Amino acid sequence: MASGAYTGCISAEMLRIAAAAMSITGHSERRHGLGESDADVRAKTEAAWRAGLVAILCVGETPVSARREGTVDIVAEQLAGSVPMARTRQAGHRL
């Protein structure tokens, strides 16, 4: 979200104004509880970066999905869909 206050949510810009240095994106409560997609997480991570925040990107699986698909596959898929690759490559970061 670019701006505004929402129940259970705060924009990256509001965090910056409040002097926050970091933002958590992709938390399991939002992914699994609220259906937040990898694309949603990527957009929130990009918004955090634009606001000058460090984004703490959470990845992980539920116990059921870990048994069904495997932890490594799930985490790799979430990283592939959630990490803003253009910015990561530009900054010289590697995954």
Side-chain angles (χ1 to χ4, degrees), residues 46-58:
E46 289 171 337
W49 285 349
R50 281 192 305 275
L53 302 171
V54 171
I56 301 167
L57 177 63
C58 300

Side-chain angles (χ1 to χ4, degrees), residues 9-62:
C9 301
I10 187 166
S11 71
E13 186 62 19
M14 290 172 72
L15 288 171
R16 185 193 62 76
I17 291 168
M22 300 177 193
S23 175
I24 296 173
T25 60
H27 193 278
S28 63
E29 289 178 359
R30 301 212 47 95
R31 284 184 185 267
H32 305 299
L34 299 173
E36 198 165 86
S37 70
D38 291 341
D40 295 330
V41 174
R42 184 176 56 249
K44 289 182 177 191
T45 302
E46 289 171 337
W49 285 349
R50 281 192 305 275
L53 302 171
V54 171
I56 301 167
L57 177 63
C58 300
V59 294
E61 77 292 346
T62 65

